[in-house]
């Protein structure tokens, strides 16, 4: 029962993380691309480009709300199911969490300011305001990704709280994360633009082109991350790479997902290339463009599942072993299964309603078309 | 008098610099969040009232203002979600021992809050924005009521967690064993050894620097074990029920009051009678809520304090109890009448509680743990020689200096509560219902006194404004009295505030930075809501741009 409960709790935490990341990556990517596109629009005096930037920003604003809702759910799960892990995070990673919180705190007024001042101040000033906005949004993953690096290369017994910043897993992880977020933001933006009646072909070209260009460094960053993991976390690499690359994984739960994600990435590249080529010819292949957004999100979900799930049955890894989740699972109260099942059912129902609402109301109807 | 705290206990009971600094920004953050939440809960009632009027009369004025308020509600909801996230992270990062609550007494409430109430409310808020004026009346009202109910349910879950910190229902006689003046808290659903192990670990690490470090031990959960055997009990905590009703009603009053105040200000400026039309349905809600809130729910709330938090009750009455409050007992006929139903019943002073502490004798923590769980003796360290009586006395002495402040907030709440109840009565019997004798009296006051002073047509908006402002004052002061009066504990009789704060240094500069950002959110949030509120056709313009025609 205890191991089942531990697995269930681990899975529930992973589920909440996945849901959160689906929205958060769009937020990060769309914000950075908005700021860049808006600046390019100013440089080129291109109103069409500015319209694309506005579209991206609206997408970010409507996504922000549900990203926040899932962030709350994730935090409750984390502290409720694995209290000691959360306490280690808040103690050992106080500064990285503080960085992320500063990012959240600063980004909120800046989003409002950026939105409000669009068209009210000169474009150069407005573009400049975008710089701290983009930085503040990027600070959120910059801070929180230290926690993930800390799970792979544990630092829970550090006496110097600044030492966490030297985690060797972190650099490839954050590079992979940030490029990935911008890639997802670009493809989802392209998808959203393709759902609209007055399609902005120029906007789609930019979004698809950006996504395509970013796929290359993303692949390099992925390989870099994989190599570093191989050095510090052979357990994860074995579970991810599986027998195809000559490893002997302890479970078959992850490497099929990893290779599926790789296949989907190739499919995304091909689809995006085709859609981009068509857009350059002045045509919009709507299913292909919309498909890029879905593929990008599917790859994110699979890769994050592989990245975090492959630690199982450990939470904090150390080489080929680690601290098992059963040791960190909440025992302060009897965890009622009925509560967890109710919660799962409820979130699935409301997420389904929200997804329909988001599509119908926000993307289709409530994002004003220029 | 003449009591002194051993140094080890000072570290546990007297607020550290970190606690003081952290409290400032936490209080600011929680109040800011509370404002947005109150609006989120109150605005739907105002919209509901106007929509019902629209369906009954067909007057488009009510629909148009409902739409405007819908947009304000949406902006406000987003701000509430954002500040809620900040408060949540603040709890985990600045007060990390609160993770204990997340994983024990508050597990079910917070789990359900996030995954049923909050997520459902967020979805329905978005759905309502689509529905208003476009879907059938029944559907629209249904969505609004469901969103409001889920918002209120969210309040219940959150307040359940807070109520457990004030009244740790299910701990049975454990707090009483350590602090004899405390009552029994519900059934004995706590494992005594596990609870004492938890206390020992927190005490040990607090004296060593930070109580929250206890949780970071890889063996923490196995060292403590299961200390609360029934995770559902906090949901039926009697204090949770009363706290929820009391706080939600206050939130409704503040939210509806804010709308009423805005409408009243518009009337004072323009003297346009349409604002009186808009105000009247809101006055109904305000009057009913504000008659129930201070008179009925406030009384039950007071009963809870008397029953479960005797030390806080003494602190509340400090300003009227005079020097007697620091003695063994004193007399305050009004407070005694409300608290015990007997004006001659003595109220207990701090000396009474100290004498109760002395009844614990010279038993030390070392002896206690030696009997119950010798394995924890190693964690006691310098506390092993501290007596239970000294520990108990330290708790009493820690609250004493705060008592006048607690009392000032309490009487501010009582004063504001009395005035707003009077305003509610004046509004109810003159403008909403006619009752023989009562209406004659309120008519006289409204027409012959207030009317002469401020002008007859201004009386109704004046009463609405008074109710709005006084509700905010009463709620602000009441919450301050409740939370400061809980000191020196975070969980009454179990965990002190010093045991919860982070071990990392919270500098005044950091506090200033956080408050500056929170202020920016407050100002920009207020401006955003004002911007939306002063553009009546915003929702329609957005729909027009999106090419969606309405069929109202």
């Amino acid at each position: 029962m205890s191991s089942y409960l531990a697995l269930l709790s681990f899975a529930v935490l992973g589920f909440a993380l996945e849901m959160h990341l689906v929205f958060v990556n769009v937020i990060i990517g769309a914000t950075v691309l908005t700021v860049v596109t808006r600046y390019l629009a100013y440089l080129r005096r291109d109103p069409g480009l500015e319209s694309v930037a506005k579209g991206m920003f609206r997408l970010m604003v409507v996504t922000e709300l549900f990203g926040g809702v899932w962030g709350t759910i994730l935090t409750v799960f984390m502290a409720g199911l694995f209290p000691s892990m959360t306490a280690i995070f808040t103690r050992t990673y106080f500064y990285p969490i503080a960085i992320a919180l500063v990012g959240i705190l600063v980004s909120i007024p800046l989003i409002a300011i950026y939105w409000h001042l669009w068209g009210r101040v000169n474009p150069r000033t407005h573009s400049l305001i975008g710089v701290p906005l983009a930085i503040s949004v990027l600070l959120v993953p910059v801070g929180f990704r230290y926690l993930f690096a800390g799970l792979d290369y544990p630092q829970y017994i550090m006496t110097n709280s600044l030492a966490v910043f030297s985690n060797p897993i972190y650099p490839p992880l954050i590079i992979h994360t940030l490029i990935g977020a911008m890639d997802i933001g670009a493809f989802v933006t392209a998808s959203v633009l393709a759902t609209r009646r007055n399609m902005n072909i120029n906007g789609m070209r930019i979004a698809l082109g950006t996504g395509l260009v970013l796929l290359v460094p993303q692949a390099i960053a992925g390989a870099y991350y994989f190599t570093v993991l191989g050095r510090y976390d052979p357990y994860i690499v074995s579970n991810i790479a599986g027998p195809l690359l000559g490893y002997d994984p302890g479970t078959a739960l992850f490497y099929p997902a990893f290779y599926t994600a790789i296949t989907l990435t190739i499919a995304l590249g091909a689809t995006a290339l085709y859609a981009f080529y068509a857009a350059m010819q002045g045509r919009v292949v709507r299913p292909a463009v919309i498909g890029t957004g879905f593929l990008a999100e599917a790859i994110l979900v699979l890769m994050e599942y592989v990245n975090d799930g492959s630690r199982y049955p450990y939470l904090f890894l150390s080489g080929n072993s680690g601290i098992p989740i059963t040791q960190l699972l909440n025992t302060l109260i009897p965890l009622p299964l009925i509560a967890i099942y109710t919660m799962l059912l409820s979130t699935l129902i409301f997420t389904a309603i929200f997804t329909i609402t988001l599509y119908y109301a926000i993307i289709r109807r409530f994002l004003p078309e220029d | 008098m003449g009591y002194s705290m051993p140094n080890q206990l000072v570290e546990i009971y007297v607020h550290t610099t970190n606690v003081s600094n952290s409290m400032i920004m936490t209080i600011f953050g929680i109040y800011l969040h509370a404002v947005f939440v109150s609006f989120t809960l109150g605005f739907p009632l105002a919209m509901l009232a106007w929509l019902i009027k629209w369906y009954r009369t067909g007057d488009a004025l009510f629909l148009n203002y409902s739409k405007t308020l819908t947009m304000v509600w949406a902006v406000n909801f987003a701000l509430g979600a954002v500040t809620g996230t900040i408060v949540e992270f603040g709890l985990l990062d600045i007060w990390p021992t609160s993770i204990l609550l997340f994983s024990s007494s508050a597990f079910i409430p917070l789990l359900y809050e996030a995954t049923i109430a909050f997520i459902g409310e967020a979805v329905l808020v978005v759905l309502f924005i689509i529905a208003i004026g476009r879907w059938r009346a029944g559907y629209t009202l249904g969505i609004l009521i469901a969103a409001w109910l889920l918002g209120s349910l969210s309040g219940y879950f959150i307040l359940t967690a807070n109520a457990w910190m004030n009244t740790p229902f299910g701990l049975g006689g454990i707090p009483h064993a350590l602090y004899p003046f405390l009552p029994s808290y519900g059934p004995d659903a706590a494992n005594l050894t596990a609870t004492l192990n938890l206390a020992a670990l927190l005490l040990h690490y607090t004296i060593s620097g930070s109580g929250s470090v206890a949780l970071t031990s890889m063996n923490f959960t196995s060292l403590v074990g299961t200390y609360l055997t029934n995770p559902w009990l906090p949901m039926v905590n009697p204090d949770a029920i009363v706290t929820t009703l009391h706080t939600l009603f206050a939130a409704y009053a503040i939210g509806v009051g804010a709308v009423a105040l805005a409408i009243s200000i518009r009337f004072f400026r323009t003297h346009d009678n349409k604002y009186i039309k808009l105000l009247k349905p809101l006055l109904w809600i305000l009057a009913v809520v504000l008659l129930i809130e201070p008179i009925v729910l406030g009384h039950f709330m007071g009963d809870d304090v008397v029953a479960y938090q005797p030390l806080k009750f003494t602190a509340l009455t400090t300003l009227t109890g005079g020097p007697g409050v620091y003695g063994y007992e004193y007399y305050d006929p009004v407070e005694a009448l409300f608290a015990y139903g007997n004006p001659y019943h003595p109220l207990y002073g701090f000396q009474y509680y100290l004498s109760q502490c002395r009844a614990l004798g010279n038993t030390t923590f070392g002896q206690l743990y030696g009997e119950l769980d010798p394995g924890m003796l190693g964690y006691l360290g310098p506390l092993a020689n501290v007596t239970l009586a000294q520990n108990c006395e330290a708790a009493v002495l820690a609250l004493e200096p705060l008592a006048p402040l607690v009392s000032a907030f309490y009487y501010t709440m009582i004063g504001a509560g009395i005035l707003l109840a009077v305003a509610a009565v004046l509004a109810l019997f003159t403008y909403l219902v006619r009752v023989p004798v009562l209406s004659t009296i309120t008519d006289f006051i409204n027409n012959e006194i207030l009317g002469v002073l401020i002008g007859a047509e201004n009386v109704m908006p004046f009463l609405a404004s008074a109710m709005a402002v006084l509700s905010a004052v009463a709620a602000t002061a009441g919450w301050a009295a409740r939370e400061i009066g809980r000191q020196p504990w975070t969980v009454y009789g179990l965990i002190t505030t010093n045991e919860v704060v982070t071990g990392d240094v919270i500098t005044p500069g950091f506090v200033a930075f956080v408050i500056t950002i929170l202020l920016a959110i407050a100002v920009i949030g207020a401006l955003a809501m004002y911007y939306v509120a002063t553009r009546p056709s915003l929702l329609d313009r957005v729909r027009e741009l999106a090419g969606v025609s309405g069929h109202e």
Side-chain angles (χ1 to χ4, degrees):
Chain A
M1 187 61 180
S2 175
S3 60
Y4 170 69
L5 198 60
L7 175 61
L8 182 66
S9 302
F10 186 70
V12 160
L13 192 62
F15 167 70
L17 177 68
E18 291 276 19
M19 293 306 300
H20 179 56
L21 291 181
V22 162
F23 295 100
V24 160
N25 278 281
V26 175
I27 295 167
I28 297 165
T31 306
V32 174
L33 292 175
T34 297
V35 171
V36 173
T37 312
R38 199 271 172 272
Y39 180 61
L40 289 175
Y42 153 66
L43 282 183
R44 297 179 188 175
R45 308 277 193 272
D46 184 345
L49 211 53
E50 190 177 338
S51 165
V52 174
K54 275 187 181 170
M56 287 175 180
F57 200 64
R58 287 188 193 110
L59 175 68
M60 187 278 284
V61 169
V62 295
T63 313
E64 176 95 16
L65 173 67
F66 225 58
V69 170
W70 275 106
T72 304
I73 293 174
L74 175 63
T75 313
V76 170
F77 285 175
M78 207 166 67
L81 297 172
F82 296 101
S84 283
M85 178 190 77
T86 312
I88 290 166
F89 283 163
T90 58
R91 183 190 171 210
T92 311
Y93 300 94
F94 182 84
Y95 291 112
I97 293 177
I99 288 171
L101 288 184
V102 166
I104 295 173
L105 282 166
V106 173
S107 68
I108 294 156
L110 283 175
I111 288 169
I113 290 167
Y114 194 72
W115 177 281
H116 182 70
L117 293 183
W118 206 320
R120 291 168 196 258
V121 294
N122 75 62
R124 190 162 173 267
T125 309
H126 190 247
S127 295
L128 277 174
I129 296 168
V131 176
L133 170 64
I135 291 171
S136 65
V137 170
L138 288 174
L139 283 180
V140 182
V142 163
F144 281 138
R145 273 307 197 187
Y146 276 104
L147 308 185
F148 293 82
L151 290 169
D152 288 343
Y153 191 72
Q155 293 166 301
Y156 48 83
I157 47 171
M158 311 286 295
T159 47
N160 177 5
S161 52
L162 294 176
V164 294
F165 290 111
S166 62
N167 192 321
I169 302 284
Y170 182 78
L173 176 61
I174 191 64
I175 290 169
H176 193 42
T177 300
L178 293 183
I179 299 174
M182 281 182 266
D183 220 6
I184 291 165
F187 285 127
V188 171
T189 302
S191 294
V192 171
L193 291 174
T195 63
R196 310 181 77 176
R197 282 172 300 124
N198 304 322
M199 282 185 291
N200 182 331
I201 295 183
N202 193 30
M204 254 175 275
R205 279 187 203 129
I206 293 165
L208 288 169
T210 308
L212 267 172
V213 167
L214 285 173
L215 273 180
V216 179
Q218 175 65 347
I220 296 167
Y224 173 36
Y225 181 43
F226 187 86
T227 309
V228 175
L229 275 179
R231 182 172 169 193
Y232 294 99
D233 287 297
Y235 183 81
I236 286 185
V237 166
S238 175
N239 275 345
I240 288 178
L244 199 64
L245 290 177
Y247 290 91
D248 182 21
T251 170
L253 280 170
F254 304 106
Y255 63 82
F258 177 66
Y259 291 115
T260 307
I262 296 285
T263 310
L264 288 182
T265 307
I266 295 165
L268 171 64
T271 310
L273 198 60
Y274 169 60
F276 181 67
Y277 176 76
M280 292 303 284
Q281 304 291 314
R283 290 184 298 119
V284 173
V285 187
R286 192 174 260 176
V289 182
I290 293 174
T292 59
F294 279 104
L295 282 169
E297 289 283 15
I299 293 163
L300 158 79
V301 169
L302 283 172
M303 283 299 195
E304 200 60 39
Y305 163 71
V306 166
N307 185 48
D308 299 313
S310 57
R311 289 187 198 97
Y312 185 79
Y314 307 108
L315 266 181
F316 289 96
L317 267 181
S318 187
N320 272 313
S321 184
I323 309 293
I325 53 175
T326 45
Q327 194 175 331
L328 294 166
L329 184 67
N330 177 16
T331 56
L332 302 171
I333 52 163
L335 290 174
L337 284 177
I338 184 71
I340 295 176
Y341 294 143
T342 313
M343 168 278 297
L344 276 174
L345 184 68
S346 162
T347 48
L348 286 172
I349 290 171
F350 280 120
T351 301
I353 298 173
F354 179 77
T355 308
I356 296 164
T357 308
L358 186 76
Y359 173 76
Y360 176 76
I362 304 297
I363 294 173
R364 294 288 292 171
R365 308 278 176 152
F366 271 75
L367 282 179
E369 296 184 5
D370 300 297
Chain B
M1 295 298 164
Y3 295 91
S4 62
M5 262 188 237
N7 284 339
Q8 314 80 305
L9 293 178
V10 170
E11 298 194 36
I12 292 166
Y13 285 105
V14 178
H15 285 176
T16 61
T17 309
N18 248 22
V19 165
S20 304
N21 288 344
S22 303
M23 268 189 161
I24 294 167
M25 61 185 189
T26 302
I27 290 167
F28 194 80
I30 287 177
Y31 269 113
L32 180 61
H33 178 57
V35 171
F36 291 126
V37 167
S38 299
F39 290 172
T40 300
L41 291 171
F43 287 178
L45 288 175
M47 282 141 55
L48 197 63
W50 285 341
L51 285 175
I52 290 171
K53 284 291 284 184
W54 173 59
Y55 292 136
R56 279 184 170 180
T57 64
D59 188 338
L61 175 75
F62 294 109
L63 175 65
N64 292 337
Y65 271 80
S66 294
K67 283 183 181 175
T68 304
L69 192 53
T70 298
M71 293 304 277
V72 183
W73 186 45
V75 172
N76 171 75
F77 182 81
L79 288 163
V82 162
T83 49
T85 305
I86 294 168
V87 167
E88 188 187 30
F89 274 116
L91 278 178
L92 294 179
D93 217 28
I94 306 298
W95 306 97
T97 311
S98 61
I99 291 167
L100 269 180
L101 293 174
F102 279 69
S103 53
S104 58
S105 59
F107 179 76
I108 300 284
L110 293 184
L111 187 79
Y112 281 174
E113 194 277 332
T115 60
I116 296 176
F118 182 42
I119 192 173
E121 188 190 5
V123 169
L124 292 180
V125 166
V126 176
L127 209 55
F128 180 75
I129 294 169
I130 307 165
I132 182 170
R134 292 177 57 224
W135 291 10
R136 283 183 189 173
Y139 296 158
T140 311
L141 283 180
I143 293 167
L144 181 62
I145 291 168
W148 175 74
L149 284 174
L150 283 171
S152 300
L153 189 64
S154 175
Y156 161 66
F157 288 134
I158 296 284
L159 290 165
T160 294
N162 176 272
W164 197 84
M165 292 156 76
N166 281 277
T167 304
F169 197 70
L171 283 189
I174 294 175
H176 175 74
L178 293 170
Y179 308 97
F181 49 83
L182 295 183
S184 183
Y185 292 109
D188 286 311
N191 179 297
L192 177 62
T193 310
T195 309
L196 288 177
N197 287 355
L198 174 64
L201 286 168
L202 291 178
L203 290 169
H204 169 76
Y205 283 103
T206 303
I207 290 173
S208 312
S210 169
S212 59
V213 174
L215 278 71
T216 65
S217 161
M218 287 297 170
N219 298 318
F220 175 73
T221 51
S222 58
L223 275 172
V224 174
T226 303
Y227 89 93
L228 194 61
T229 56
N230 185 347
W232 301 95
L233 263 184
M235 307 274 279
V236 291
N237 179 355
D239 188 61
I241 312 297
V242 175
T243 298
T244 300
L245 290 172
H246 186 62
T247 313
L248 285 183
F249 269 62
Y252 302 150
I254 291 171
V256 177
V259 182
L261 183 64
I263 297 286
S264 299
I265 290 170
R266 294 296 295 169
F267 175 79
F268 292 139
R269 283 183 179 171
T270 62
H271 285 276
D272 186 335
N273 270 332
K274 75 176 182 183
Y275 295 114
I276 296 295
K277 270 169 72 179
L278 288 165
L279 199 55
K280 211 164 177 179
L282 306 185
L283 216 53
W284 262 112
I285 303 169
L286 277 176
V288 172
V289 166
L290 289 176
L291 283 174
I292 296 171
E293 160 66 3
I295 297 168
V296 182
L297 300 174
H299 176 70
F300 287 140
M301 201 74 224
D303 281 352
D304 265 14
V305 173
V306 173
Y308 295 116
Q309 300 173 303
L311 207 55
K312 183 194 279 187
F313 178 60
T314 296
L316 291 178
T317 60
T318 299
L319 291 183
T320 52
V325 82
Y326 297 102
Y328 188 86
E329 64 180 32
Y330 58 103
Y331 291 86
D332 183 330
V334 178
E335 293 291 354
L337 179 66
F338 283 109
Y340 302 108
N342 174 6
Y344 302 107
H345 194 290
L347 307 183
Y348 298 111
F350 289 112
Q351 278 294 327
Y352 167 80
Y353 302 116
L354 291 169
S355 71
Q356 293 265 299
C357 291
R358 284 197 297 273
L360 287 167
N362 291 323
T363 308
T364 62
F365 276 108
Q367 289 169 317
L368 177 71
Y369 279 89
E371 282 182 28
L372 291 170
D373 190 354
M376 297 307 289
L377 279 171
Y379 284 100
L380 288 179
L383 275 170
N385 295 323
V386 171
T387 67
L388 299 187
Q390 285 173 314
N391 175 62
C392 174
E393 286 164 359
V396 179
L397 294 172
L399 182 62
E400 260 195 25
L402 295 171
L405 180 67
V406 175
S407 191
F409 280 123
Y410 171 66
Y411 286 115
T412 303
M413 175 194 71
I414 296 287
I418 292 169
L419 288 176
L420 64 83
V422 169
V425 168
L426 290 177
L428 183 68
F429 295 118
T430 290
Y431 301 108
L432 303 176
V433 291
R434 304 297 299 173
V435 175
V437 184
L438 281 175
S439 293
T440 312
I441 297 168
T442 56
D443 285 353
F444 176 78
I445 295 170
N446 287 332
N447 300 329
E448 305 302 326
I449 302 175
L450 289 175
V452 171
L453 288 172
I454 60 173
E457 62 176 6
N458 290 331
V459 174
M460 189 209 277
F462 168 77
L463 290 174
S465 305
M467 284 190 269
V469 173
L470 290 167
S471 321
V473 171
T476 306
W479 193 259
R482 173 184 171 84
E483 296 301 293
I484 302 172
R486 180 152 50 100
Q487 298 306 316
W489 293 292
T490 285
V491 175
Y492 216 72
L494 189 68
I495 300 173
T496 67
T497 309
N498 282 10
E499 291 173 312
V500 185
V501 79
T502 178
D504 289 281
V505 178
I506 303 299
T507 62
F510 183 69
V511 174
F513 172 76
V514 172
I515 288 183
T516 305
I517 296 293
L518 288 172
L519 271 174
I521 293 173
V523 171
I524 291 170
L527 288 174
M529 285 194 281
Y530 179 78
Y531 177 85
V532 174
T534 49
R535 275 144 189 87
S537 56
L538 190 63
L539 183 64
D540 288 333
R541 277 195 287 136
V542 171
R543 286 173 175 172
E544 202 177 301
L545 282 164
V548 181
S549 57
H551 42 77
E552 287 110 21

